[in-house]
Structure formats: structure tokens, C-alpha cells
Amino acid sequence: MKKAVLNESRCDKSPFCGAKHACPVGAIKFVRQGIFSGKIEIDKEKCIGCSKCVKYCPHNAIIMK
Ligand code: SF4
């Protein structure tokens, strides 16, 4: 099964990530790394391969692989 993979160079690392909110199983999370910064992580174990996040990312930063 293909799973969601993040291209970090395209990701804008927003805490308001639309793809995070679209994921039905909570596999995408914003990890805070400072007061104003953080990054998006995708939990491969949780991902069920639905590809919803691909459609909701405005930066095309997620692909199914
Ligand atoms: S493919 Fe589906 S389950 Fe996997 S991270 Fe994206 S929205 Fe979540």
C-alpha cells in the first residue's frame, strides 16, 4: 500500500496545515520546535493511504509512495 510522504523542501511548516486537518486518522502532526517554528510529520504506521492529504496540501508537498 502506498503511504503519504512529505517533501520537506516544499512544505511551509504551518501549524494550520490543511492536510493535517484533512487526515481522517490523525497521522499528520505539527511538531513545535521553538516559539515560532516547527515542522510537519507524517506517521507512516498510522497512515491508511487514503491520499486525502495530497489534495489538501496547497504546496503539493505530499506524494503517495
Ligand atoms: S494518506 Fe490519508 S491517512 Fe495517510 S497521512 Fe494522508 S490523509 Fe492521513
Short mmCIF file of all heavy atoms in Angstrom, two decimals:
data_model
loop_
_atom_site.label_atom_id
_atom_site.label_comp_id
_atom_site.label_asym_id
_atom_site.label_seq_id
_atom_site.Cartn_x
_atom_site.Cartn_y
_atom_site.Cartn_z
N MET A 1 0.84 -1.19 0.00
CA MET A 1 0.00 0.00 0.00
C MET A 1 0.88 1.25 0.00
O MET A 1 1.86 1.33 0.74
CB MET A 1 -0.88 0.00 1.26
CG MET A 1 -1.74 1.25 1.38
SD MET A 1 -2.84 1.22 2.81
CE MET A 1 -1.69 1.12 4.18
N LYS A 2 0.49 2.22 -0.83
CA LYS A 2 1.23 3.49 -0.85
C LYS A 2 0.87 4.32 0.38
O LYS A 2 -0.26 4.29 0.83
CB LYS A 2 0.87 4.27 -2.11
CG LYS A 2 1.46 3.67 -3.37
CD LYS A 2 1.22 4.56 -4.54
CE LYS A 2 1.85 3.98 -5.78
NZ LYS A 2 1.66 4.82 -6.97
N LYS A 3 1.88 5.03 0.87
CA LYS A 3 1.66 5.88 2.04
C LYS A 3 2.11 7.30 1.73
O LYS A 3 2.87 7.54 0.80
CB LYS A 3 2.47 5.33 3.21
CG LYS A 3 2.07 3.89 3.56
CD LYS A 3 1.85 3.73 5.01
CE LYS A 3 1.30 2.34 5.31
NZ LYS A 3 1.17 2.11 6.73
N ALA A 4 1.60 8.22 2.54
CA ALA A 4 1.92 9.64 2.33
C ALA A 4 3.36 9.93 2.75
O ALA A 4 3.81 9.51 3.80
CB ALA A 4 0.96 10.49 3.15
N VAL A 5 4.05 10.65 1.86
CA VAL A 5 5.44 11.03 2.14
C VAL A 5 5.56 12.54 1.93
O VAL A 5 5.09 13.08 0.92
CB VAL A 5 6.41 10.29 1.20
CG1 VAL A 5 7.85 10.76 1.44
CG2 VAL A 5 6.30 8.79 1.39
N LEU A 6 6.18 13.21 2.89
CA LEU A 6 6.31 14.66 2.83
C LEU A 6 7.61 15.08 2.15
O LEU A 6 8.68 14.57 2.47
CB LEU A 6 6.28 15.22 4.27
CG LEU A 6 6.39 16.73 4.41
CD1 LEU A 6 5.14 17.42 3.89
CD2 LEU A 6 6.66 17.10 5.85
N ASN A 7 7.48 16.03 1.23
CA ASN A 7 8.66 16.67 0.65
C ASN A 7 8.92 17.94 1.49
O ASN A 7 8.24 18.95 1.32
CB ASN A 7 8.38 17.03 -0.81
CG ASN A 7 9.56 17.72 -1.46
OD1 ASN A 7 10.46 18.23 -0.80
ND2 ASN A 7 9.57 17.75 -2.78
N GLU A 8 9.86 17.84 2.40
CA GLU A 8 10.07 18.94 3.35
C GLU A 8 10.49 20.24 2.70
O GLU A 8 10.25 21.32 3.23
CB GLU A 8 11.08 18.51 4.41
CG GLU A 8 10.50 17.45 5.33
CD GLU A 8 11.22 17.35 6.66
OE1 GLU A 8 11.84 18.33 7.11
OE2 GLU A 8 11.16 16.26 7.25
N SER A 9 11.12 20.17 1.54
CA SER A 9 11.56 21.40 0.89
C SER A 9 10.38 22.19 0.31
O SER A 9 10.47 23.39 0.09
CB SER A 9 12.59 21.10 -0.20
OG SER A 9 12.00 20.32 -1.21
N ARG A 10 9.25 21.53 0.07
CA ARG A 10 8.06 22.22 -0.42
C ARG A 10 7.13 22.66 0.71
O ARG A 10 6.35 23.59 0.57
CB ARG A 10 7.26 21.30 -1.35
CG ARG A 10 7.82 21.24 -2.75
CD ARG A 10 6.94 20.34 -3.60
NE ARG A 10 7.22 20.53 -5.01
CZ ARG A 10 6.51 21.35 -5.80
NH1 ARG A 10 5.50 22.01 -5.33
NH2 ARG A 10 6.83 21.48 -7.06
N CYS A 11 7.19 21.97 1.84
CA CYS A 11 6.29 22.23 2.97
C CYS A 11 6.57 23.61 3.59
O CYS A 11 7.73 23.96 3.81
CB CYS A 11 6.50 21.14 4.02
SG CYS A 11 5.49 21.34 5.50
N ASP A 12 5.49 24.38 3.89
CA ASP A 12 5.69 25.69 4.51
C ASP A 12 5.68 25.60 6.05
O ASP A 12 5.75 26.61 6.74
CB ASP A 12 4.67 26.71 4.01
CG ASP A 12 3.26 26.46 4.54
OD1 ASP A 12 3.03 25.38 5.13
OD2 ASP A 12 2.40 27.34 4.36
N LYS A 13 5.56 24.38 6.57
CA LYS A 13 5.68 24.10 8.01
C LYS A 13 4.69 24.91 8.84
O LYS A 13 5.02 25.43 9.91
CB LYS A 13 7.11 24.36 8.48
CG LYS A 13 8.13 23.50 7.74
CD LYS A 13 9.55 23.93 8.04
CE LYS A 13 10.58 23.02 7.40
NZ LYS A 13 10.48 22.91 5.95
N SER A 14 3.46 25.01 8.35
CA SER A 14 2.46 25.80 9.04
C SER A 14 1.73 24.99 10.11
O SER A 14 1.35 23.85 9.88
CB SER A 14 1.42 26.30 8.03
OG SER A 14 0.31 26.84 8.72
N PRO A 15 1.51 25.61 11.30
CA PRO A 15 0.72 24.93 12.33
C PRO A 15 -0.74 24.78 11.90
O PRO A 15 -1.49 24.02 12.50
CB PRO A 15 0.86 25.84 13.55
CG PRO A 15 1.31 27.14 13.03
CD PRO A 15 2.04 26.90 11.74
N PHE A 16 -1.13 25.51 10.85
CA PHE A 16 -2.52 25.44 10.36
C PHE A 16 -2.63 24.56 9.12
O PHE A 16 -3.54 24.72 8.31
CB PHE A 16 -3.03 26.85 10.06
CG PHE A 16 -2.83 27.79 11.21
CD1 PHE A 16 -1.89 28.80 11.13
CD2 PHE A 16 -3.55 27.64 12.37
CE1 PHE A 16 -1.68 29.65 12.21
CE2 PHE A 16 -3.36 28.48 13.45
CZ PHE A 16 -2.42 29.50 13.37
N CYS A 17 -1.71 23.65 8.96
CA CYS A 17 -1.63 22.74 7.80
C CYS A 17 -3.00 22.13 7.45
O CYS A 17 -3.61 21.45 8.27
CB CYS A 17 -0.63 21.63 8.14
SG CYS A 17 -0.58 20.30 6.93
N GLY A 18 -3.46 22.42 6.24
CA GLY A 18 -4.75 21.91 5.79
C GLY A 18 -4.75 20.39 5.66
O GLY A 18 -5.75 19.73 5.94
N ALA A 19 -3.63 19.85 5.28
CA ALA A 19 -3.52 18.40 5.12
C ALA A 19 -3.65 17.70 6.48
O ALA A 19 -4.25 16.63 6.60
CB ALA A 19 -2.20 18.04 4.47
N LYS A 20 -3.11 18.33 7.50
CA LYS A 20 -3.20 17.77 8.85
C LYS A 20 -4.66 17.64 9.27
O LYS A 20 -5.08 16.61 9.80
CB LYS A 20 -2.45 18.70 9.82
CG LYS A 20 -2.45 18.22 11.24
CD LYS A 20 -1.75 19.19 12.15
CE LYS A 20 -2.69 20.26 12.62
NZ LYS A 20 -2.13 21.11 13.68
N HIS A 21 -5.45 18.67 8.97
CA HIS A 21 -6.86 18.64 9.36
C HIS A 21 -7.67 17.67 8.49
O HIS A 21 -8.70 17.16 8.92
CB HIS A 21 -7.45 20.05 9.30
CG HIS A 21 -6.89 20.94 10.36
ND1 HIS A 21 -7.18 20.79 11.70
CD2 HIS A 21 -6.00 21.96 10.30
CE1 HIS A 21 -6.52 21.69 12.41
NE2 HIS A 21 -5.78 22.41 11.57
N ALA A 22 -7.19 17.41 7.29
CA ALA A 22 -7.91 16.52 6.37
C ALA A 22 -7.70 15.05 6.70
O ALA A 22 -8.54 14.21 6.36
CB ALA A 22 -7.46 16.80 4.93
N CYS A 23 -6.62 14.73 7.35
CA CYS A 23 -6.29 13.32 7.61
C CYS A 23 -7.31 12.69 8.56
O CYS A 23 -7.48 13.15 9.68
CB CYS A 23 -4.89 13.19 8.20
SG CYS A 23 -4.45 11.47 8.56
N PRO A 24 -7.98 11.61 8.12
CA PRO A 24 -9.03 11.01 8.96
C PRO A 24 -8.52 10.21 10.14
O PRO A 24 -9.29 9.86 11.04
CB PRO A 24 -9.77 10.09 7.97
CG PRO A 24 -8.75 9.73 6.95
CD PRO A 24 -7.85 10.95 6.82
N VAL A 25 -7.22 9.91 10.15
CA VAL A 25 -6.70 9.09 11.25
C VAL A 25 -5.65 9.82 12.10
O VAL A 25 -4.99 9.21 12.94
CB VAL A 25 -6.09 7.76 10.71
CG1 VAL A 25 -7.18 6.89 10.11
CG2 VAL A 25 -4.98 8.02 9.71
N GLY A 26 -5.50 11.11 11.88
CA GLY A 26 -4.57 11.89 12.70
C GLY A 26 -3.11 11.50 12.50
O GLY A 26 -2.32 11.57 13.44
N ALA A 27 -2.77 11.12 11.27
CA ALA A 27 -1.39 10.68 11.01
C ALA A 27 -0.43 11.84 10.78
O ALA A 27 0.78 11.66 10.80
CB ALA A 27 -1.36 9.75 9.80
N ILE A 28 -1.01 13.04 10.56
CA ILE A 28 -0.17 14.20 10.29
C ILE A 28 -0.19 15.12 11.49
O ILE A 28 -1.26 15.48 11.99
CB ILE A 28 -0.68 14.96 9.04
CG1 ILE A 28 -0.70 14.01 7.84
CG2 ILE A 28 0.21 16.18 8.76
CD1 ILE A 28 -1.27 14.63 6.58
N LYS A 29 0.99 15.48 11.96
CA LYS A 29 1.01 16.37 13.11
C LYS A 29 2.04 17.49 12.93
O LYS A 29 3.03 17.32 12.21
CB LYS A 29 1.25 15.61 14.41
CG LYS A 29 2.55 14.88 14.47
CD LYS A 29 2.67 14.12 15.77
CE LYS A 29 3.99 13.35 15.82
NZ LYS A 29 4.18 12.60 17.04
N PHE A 30 1.77 18.59 13.61
CA PHE A 30 2.71 19.71 13.64
C PHE A 30 3.54 19.55 14.90
O PHE A 30 2.99 19.50 16.00
CB PHE A 30 1.95 21.04 13.66
CG PHE A 30 2.85 22.23 13.76
CD1 PHE A 30 3.53 22.70 12.65
CD2 PHE A 30 3.03 22.89 14.97
CE1 PHE A 30 4.38 23.80 12.74
CE2 PHE A 30 3.87 23.99 15.07
CZ PHE A 30 4.55 24.44 13.95
N VAL A 31 4.85 19.46 14.75
CA VAL A 31 5.74 19.30 15.88
C VAL A 31 6.42 20.63 16.15
O VAL A 31 7.17 21.14 15.31
CB VAL A 31 6.81 18.22 15.60
CG1 VAL A 31 7.74 18.06 16.79
CG2 VAL A 31 6.15 16.90 15.25
N ARG A 32 6.13 21.22 17.29
CA ARG A 32 6.70 22.51 17.64
C ARG A 32 8.20 22.36 17.94
O ARG A 32 8.61 21.45 18.63
CB ARG A 32 5.97 23.08 18.85
CG ARG A 32 6.18 24.55 19.05
CD ARG A 32 5.14 25.13 20.00
NE ARG A 32 3.83 25.28 19.40
CZ ARG A 32 3.50 26.22 18.53
NH1 ARG A 32 4.39 27.10 18.15
NH2 ARG A 32 2.29 26.27 18.03
N GLN A 33 8.99 23.29 17.38
CA GLN A 33 10.44 23.21 17.60
C GLN A 33 10.99 24.49 18.21
O GLN A 33 12.18 24.65 18.36
CB GLN A 33 11.15 22.91 16.28
CG GLN A 33 10.85 21.52 15.77
CD GLN A 33 11.58 21.19 14.50
OE1 GLN A 33 11.57 21.98 13.56
NE2 GLN A 33 12.20 20.03 14.45
N GLY A 34 10.13 25.42 18.49
CA GLY A 34 10.54 26.69 19.07
C GLY A 34 9.28 27.49 19.26
O GLY A 34 8.18 26.98 19.04
N ILE A 35 9.41 28.75 19.63
CA ILE A 35 8.22 29.56 19.87
C ILE A 35 7.46 29.81 18.58
O ILE A 35 6.23 29.70 18.53
CB ILE A 35 8.60 30.91 20.52
CG1 ILE A 35 9.25 30.65 21.88
CG2 ILE A 35 7.36 31.79 20.70
CD1 ILE A 35 9.84 31.87 22.53
N PHE A 36 8.18 30.09 17.50
CA PHE A 36 7.51 30.42 16.24
C PHE A 36 7.77 29.41 15.13
O PHE A 36 7.44 29.65 13.98
CB PHE A 36 7.94 31.80 15.76
CG PHE A 36 7.57 32.90 16.71
CD1 PHE A 36 8.54 33.60 17.38
CD2 PHE A 36 6.23 33.20 16.95
CE1 PHE A 36 8.20 34.62 18.27
CE2 PHE A 36 5.87 34.20 17.84
CZ PHE A 36 6.85 34.91 18.50
N SER A 37 8.40 28.31 15.46
CA SER A 37 8.73 27.38 14.38
C SER A 37 8.38 25.95 14.74
O SER A 37 8.14 25.60 15.89
CB SER A 37 10.21 27.47 14.03
OG SER A 37 10.98 27.13 15.15
N GLY A 38 8.34 25.13 13.71
CA GLY A 38 8.02 23.73 13.90
C GLY A 38 8.09 23.03 12.56
O GLY A 38 8.56 23.59 11.58
N LYS A 39 7.63 21.79 12.54
CA LYS A 39 7.61 21.07 11.27
C LYS A 39 6.45 20.09 11.25
O LYS A 39 5.89 19.74 12.30
CB LYS A 39 8.93 20.36 11.02
CG LYS A 39 9.22 19.25 12.00
CD LYS A 39 10.47 18.50 11.60
CE LYS A 39 10.72 17.34 12.56
NZ LYS A 39 11.79 16.46 12.14
N ILE A 40 6.12 19.65 10.03
CA ILE A 40 5.05 18.68 9.85
C ILE A 40 5.66 17.29 9.78
O ILE A 40 6.67 17.07 9.12
CB ILE A 40 4.27 18.97 8.54
CG1 ILE A 40 3.63 20.36 8.58
CG2 ILE A 40 3.24 17.88 8.27
CD1 ILE A 40 2.55 20.54 9.64
N GLU A 41 5.03 16.35 10.49
CA GLU A 41 5.49 14.96 10.43
C GLU A 41 4.32 14.06 10.06
O GLU A 41 3.19 14.28 10.51
CB GLU A 41 6.06 14.52 11.78
CG GLU A 41 7.46 15.01 12.03
CD GLU A 41 8.06 14.48 13.33
OE1 GLU A 41 7.38 13.72 14.06
OE2 GLU A 41 9.19 14.85 13.63
N ILE A 42 4.60 13.05 9.25
CA ILE A 42 3.57 12.07 8.88
C ILE A 42 3.96 10.72 9.49
O ILE A 42 5.05 10.21 9.25
CB ILE A 42 3.44 11.93 7.35
CG1 ILE A 42 3.10 13.30 6.73
CG2 ILE A 42 2.36 10.91 7.00
CD1 ILE A 42 3.06 13.30 5.21
N ASP A 43 3.04 10.17 10.28
CA ASP A 43 3.28 8.88 10.94
C ASP A 43 2.90 7.76 9.98
O ASP A 43 1.72 7.51 9.71
CB ASP A 43 2.42 8.81 12.21
CG ASP A 43 2.71 7.56 13.04
OD1 ASP A 43 3.17 6.55 12.46
OD2 ASP A 43 2.45 7.59 14.25
N LYS A 44 3.90 7.09 9.45
CA LYS A 44 3.67 6.03 8.45
C LYS A 44 2.88 4.85 9.02
O LYS A 44 2.17 4.16 8.29
CB LYS A 44 5.00 5.51 7.92
CG LYS A 44 5.56 6.38 6.82
CD LYS A 44 6.66 5.66 6.10
CE LYS A 44 7.01 6.43 4.84
NZ LYS A 44 8.12 5.85 4.12
N GLU A 45 3.03 4.61 10.31
CA GLU A 45 2.30 3.50 10.93
C GLU A 45 0.80 3.78 10.98
O GLU A 45 -0.01 2.88 10.80
CB GLU A 45 2.82 3.27 12.36
CG GLU A 45 4.29 2.94 12.46
CD GLU A 45 4.63 1.65 11.72
OE1 GLU A 45 3.87 0.68 11.87
OE2 GLU A 45 5.64 1.64 10.98
N LYS A 46 0.45 5.04 11.19
CA LYS A 46 -0.97 5.40 11.28
C LYS A 46 -1.60 5.56 9.90
O LYS A 46 -2.80 5.35 9.73
CB LYS A 46 -1.13 6.73 12.03
CG LYS A 46 -1.08 6.61 13.53
CD LYS A 46 -1.49 7.95 14.14
CE LYS A 46 -1.44 7.93 15.65
NZ LYS A 46 -1.74 9.25 16.21
N CYS A 47 -0.83 6.00 8.91
CA CYS A 47 -1.36 6.32 7.58
C CYS A 47 -2.04 5.10 6.96
O CYS A 47 -1.50 4.00 6.95
CB CYS A 47 -0.21 6.79 6.69
SG CYS A 47 -0.72 7.14 4.98
N ILE A 48 -3.27 5.32 6.46
CA ILE A 48 -4.03 4.24 5.81
C ILE A 48 -4.03 4.41 4.29
O ILE A 48 -4.75 3.71 3.58
CB ILE A 48 -5.48 4.17 6.34
CG1 ILE A 48 -6.19 5.52 6.17
CG2 ILE A 48 -5.49 3.72 7.80
CD1 ILE A 48 -7.69 5.48 6.45
N GLY A 49 -3.25 5.37 3.79
CA GLY A 49 -3.08 5.51 2.34
C GLY A 49 -4.26 6.06 1.58
O GLY A 49 -4.42 5.81 0.39
N CYS A 50 -5.10 6.87 2.25
CA CYS A 50 -6.32 7.37 1.59
C CYS A 50 -6.03 8.49 0.59
O CYS A 50 -6.87 8.80 -0.24
CB CYS A 50 -7.31 7.85 2.65
SG CYS A 50 -6.81 9.39 3.44
N SER A 51 -4.91 9.14 0.71
CA SER A 51 -4.43 10.24 -0.16
C SER A 51 -5.22 11.54 -0.06
O SER A 51 -5.08 12.42 -0.91
CB SER A 51 -4.33 9.78 -1.63
OG SER A 51 -5.58 9.77 -2.25
N LYS A 52 -6.04 11.68 0.96
CA LYS A 52 -6.77 12.94 1.16
C LYS A 52 -5.80 14.11 1.34
O LYS A 52 -6.02 15.20 0.84
CB LYS A 52 -7.65 12.85 2.41
CG LYS A 52 -9.05 12.39 2.16
CD LYS A 52 -9.88 12.61 3.41
CE LYS A 52 -11.32 12.20 3.15
NZ LYS A 52 -12.12 12.34 4.36
N CYS A 53 -4.75 13.88 2.09
CA CYS A 53 -3.79 14.95 2.39
C CYS A 53 -3.16 15.52 1.12
O CYS A 53 -2.86 16.71 1.05
CB CYS A 53 -2.72 14.45 3.35
SG CYS A 53 -1.87 12.97 2.77
N VAL A 54 -2.96 14.68 0.12
CA VAL A 54 -2.35 15.12 -1.13
C VAL A 54 -3.20 16.23 -1.75
O VAL A 54 -2.68 17.24 -2.23
CB VAL A 54 -2.21 13.94 -2.11
CG1 VAL A 54 -1.69 14.41 -3.46
CG2 VAL A 54 -1.29 12.88 -1.53
N LYS A 55 -4.52 16.06 -1.71
CA LYS A 55 -5.43 17.04 -2.30
C LYS A 55 -5.50 18.33 -1.48
O LYS A 55 -5.72 19.41 -2.02
CB LYS A 55 -6.84 16.45 -2.41
CG LYS A 55 -6.92 15.25 -3.31
CD LYS A 55 -8.35 14.73 -3.41
CE LYS A 55 -8.37 13.31 -3.92
NZ LYS A 55 -8.56 12.32 -2.86
N TYR A 56 -5.31 18.20 -0.17
CA TYR A 56 -5.47 19.38 0.68
C TYR A 56 -4.21 20.19 0.87
O TYR A 56 -4.26 21.31 1.37
CB TYR A 56 -6.03 18.97 2.06
CG TYR A 56 -7.52 18.79 2.01
CD1 TYR A 56 -8.08 17.56 1.68
CD2 TYR A 56 -8.38 19.86 2.27
CE1 TYR A 56 -9.45 17.39 1.61
CE2 TYR A 56 -9.75 19.69 2.21
CZ TYR A 56 -10.28 18.46 1.87
OH TYR A 56 -11.64 18.29 1.80
N CYS A 57 -3.05 19.67 0.50
CA CYS A 57 -1.81 20.45 0.64
C CYS A 57 -1.72 21.45 -0.50
O CYS A 57 -1.64 21.07 -1.67
CB CYS A 57 -0.59 19.53 0.63
SG CYS A 57 0.93 20.51 0.70
N PRO A 58 -1.70 22.77 -0.19
CA PRO A 58 -1.66 23.79 -1.25
C PRO A 58 -0.30 23.92 -1.91
O PRO A 58 -0.16 24.60 -2.91
CB PRO A 58 -2.03 25.08 -0.50
CG PRO A 58 -1.62 24.83 0.90
CD PRO A 58 -1.79 23.36 1.15
N HIS A 59 0.70 23.25 -1.36
CA HIS A 59 2.07 23.37 -1.89
C HIS A 59 2.53 22.11 -2.61
O HIS A 59 3.70 21.98 -2.96
CB HIS A 59 3.03 23.69 -0.75
CG HIS A 59 2.59 24.84 0.09
ND1 HIS A 59 2.60 26.14 -0.36
CD2 HIS A 59 2.06 24.88 1.34
CE1 HIS A 59 2.13 26.93 0.59
NE2 HIS A 59 1.79 26.19 1.62
N ASN A 60 1.63 21.16 -2.78
CA ASN A 60 1.98 19.87 -3.40
C ASN A 60 3.21 19.24 -2.71
O ASN A 60 4.10 18.73 -3.39
CB ASN A 60 2.25 20.04 -4.90
CG ASN A 60 1.00 20.47 -5.63
OD1 ASN A 60 -0.09 19.99 -5.35
ND2 ASN A 60 1.16 21.40 -6.55
N ALA A 61 3.20 19.32 -1.39
CA ALA A 61 4.35 18.83 -0.64
C ALA A 61 4.20 17.36 -0.23
O ALA A 61 5.12 16.79 0.35
CB ALA A 61 4.58 19.69 0.59
N ILE A 62 3.04 16.76 -0.52
CA ILE A 62 2.84 15.36 -0.12
C ILE A 62 2.58 14.51 -1.35
O ILE A 62 1.77 14.85 -2.21
CB ILE A 62 1.65 15.23 0.87
CG1 ILE A 62 1.86 16.12 2.09
CG2 ILE A 62 1.48 13.76 1.30
CD1 ILE A 62 0.66 16.17 3.03
N ILE A 63 3.30 13.40 -1.41
CA ILE A 63 3.06 12.44 -2.51
C ILE A 63 2.79 11.07 -1.89
O ILE A 63 3.11 10.82 -0.72
CB ILE A 63 4.26 12.32 -3.48
CG1 ILE A 63 5.52 11.89 -2.73
CG2 ILE A 63 4.49 13.65 -4.21
CD1 ILE A 63 6.63 11.44 -3.66
N MET A 64 2.19 10.18 -2.69
CA MET A 64 1.94 8.81 -2.24
C MET A 64 3.05 7.94 -2.81
O MET A 64 3.33 7.97 -4.00
CB MET A 64 0.57 8.32 -2.72
CG MET A 64 -0.60 9.16 -2.25
SD MET A 64 -0.69 9.36 -0.45
CE MET A 64 -1.11 7.69 0.04
N LYS A 65 3.68 7.16 -1.92
CA LYS A 65 4.84 6.40 -2.37
C LYS A 65 4.83 5.01 -1.74
O LYS A 65 4.54 4.90 -0.56
CB LYS A 65 6.10 7.16 -1.95
CG LYS A 65 7.31 6.88 -2.78
CD LYS A 65 8.35 7.90 -2.39
CE LYS A 65 9.68 7.63 -3.02
NZ LYS A 65 10.69 8.58 -2.57
S1 SF4 B 1 -2.83 9.37 3.04
FE1 SF4 B 1 -4.71 9.62 4.28
S2 SF4 B 1 -4.23 8.54 6.21
FE2 SF4 B 1 -2.28 8.89 5.16
S3 SF4 B 1 -1.49 10.80 6.02
FE3 SF4 B 1 -2.64 11.33 4.14
S4 SF4 B 1 -4.76 11.80 4.86
FE4 SF4 B 1 -3.69 10.69 6.52
#
